[in-house]
Amino acid sequence: MIDSLPDSILQATEFSSGEMIFALVCCFVAGAVRGFAGFALSALIMSSLVVILPPIQLLPICFAMETLAGLMMLRSGFKSANFGTVAWLVLGSMIGVPIGAYATVHLPVDVSKMIVLALIILLAVGQLFISVPKLGASRAITIATGLAAGVATGLAHVGGMIIALYVLAQNLTPTASRATLVLFLLGGTLTTGISLFAFDFFNAQALWRSLLLAPAVAIGVIMGSLLFNPTLQRHYRRFCLTLLIGIALTSLVGSLLFRA
């Protein structure tokens, strides 16, 4: 199937046939995880595809895939999400995204790659092994969480991981937690998109890559959503986070060995 693609399309994406297959598989898995866990789409795409593309080129792809997934899961977001909490989180994120994007633009590729992978590993380990104390959802804490998520989004488009930690610290049902994550990720796409355009992340190459990878993400989201069961969410999360840590660690070790 990949070999049948016009050479002009592969040239536009600057993917080899092998890289395209690898990217499609990774995006399908990331979409499936997003469908049943409600987060980690960008983290999985970033941690796996960073071996073939620098973070600065992955940011617009992650943005496009998050927008697609958010629109596909919009109904579940509106049903159970806490709109007030999401609004303050998005406000904080609006401030933080340009800070992270500025850092990404001005850091060397190797350094930004290491920071991205280390950030993903730390956030995943934090969710998997650290018991998060229950916190009050004060406005200051909510905005500060959104700010931190915005910086993480600008750096690696992994702000959803921070929001997931925040959600764990609230007294929310699994369905409400997932819905709040979904709505935040969709709500943050507008502010993230403005920053990405302002820093000139988008170009024809990013558009072609996003168009070719979108079907894999869409199919994954549909399959993952069909598998979602609130009573099993804890097991889903452990599986997703373990998978994420494994991919990020493999990419980090590989990058360090290649750099050496």
Side-chain angles (χ1 to χ4, degrees):
M1 177 180 175
I2 299 298
D3 291 335
S4 66
L5 287 173
D7 290 339
S8 58
I9 295 180
L10 289 177
Q11 290 173 2
T13 62
E14 293 189 13
F15 279 146
S16 67
S17 295
E19 289 172 339
M20 179 61 75
I21 295 173
F22 174 71
L24 286 169
V25 172
C26 291
C27 285
F28 168 76
V29 173
V33 169
R34 176 73 146 83
F36 65 69
F39 75 110
L41 171 66
S42 291
L44 281 165
I45 291 175
M46 185 69 71
S47 61
S48 57
L49 296 191
V50 77
V51 299
I52 60 174
L53 293 175
I56 196 170
Q57 293 183 29
L58 287 170
L59 284 174
I61 295 174
C62 289
F63 168 80
M65 299 305 101
E66 286 287 2
T67 302
L68 172 63
L71 291 173
M72 292 179 67
M73 299 174 70
L74 187 59
R75 181 178 297 179
S76 64
F78 271 113
K79 280 183 178 179
S80 306
N82 186 319
F83 283 86
T85 297
V86 171
W88 290 115
L89 288 170
V90 170
L91 176 63
S93 178
M94 189 186 306
I95 302 169
V97 170
I99 299 173
Y102 179 86
T104 300
V105 169
H106 291 86
L107 285 171
V109 172
D110 287 345
V111 174
S112 65
K113 184 184 296 186
M114 301 302 170
I115 291 175
V116 163
L117 292 171
L119 179 61
I120 290 172
I121 292 169
L122 287 173
L123 289 172
V125 168
Q127 291 189 53
L128 188 58
F129 296 111
I130 298 175
S131 177
V132 181
K134 298 299 179 184
L135 296 174
S138 71
R139 186 170 298 177
I141 291 176
T142 304
I143 294 176
T145 302
L147 174 64
V151 174
T153 296
L155 277 170
H157 222 291
V158 292
M161 300 285 289
I162 292 178
I163 302 302
L165 280 172
Y166 169 84
V167 167
L168 285 175
Q170 310 303 317
N171 292 313
L172 299 176
T173 65
T175 301
S177 298
R178 179 173 176 268
T180 299
L181 275 168
V182 169
L183 195 59
F184 167 80
L185 291 170
L186 181 59
T189 56
L190 177 60
T191 56
T192 301
I194 292 172
S195 293
L196 294 182
F197 274 110
F199 284 94
D200 199 26
F201 284 108
F202 287 99
N203 52 36
Q205 181 188 73
L207 177 61
W208 275 113
R209 287 171 174 171
S210 298
L211 287 173
L212 288 173
L213 296 175
V217 170
I219 295 171
V221 169
I222 292 171
M223 294 185 66
S225 296
L226 292 174
L227 292 172
F228 175 69
N229 183 330
T231 62
L232 299 176
Q233 190 181 40
R234 180 170 59 89
H235 302 292
Y236 292 156
R237 291 183 66 85
R238 292 188 68 85
F239 169 76
C240 295
L241 292 168
T242 302
L243 175 65
L244 183 57
I245 292 169
I247 292 173
L249 276 174
T250 301
S251 298
L252 182 60
V253 172
S255 298
L256 289 170
L257 291 175
F258 181 77
R259 190 180 183 185

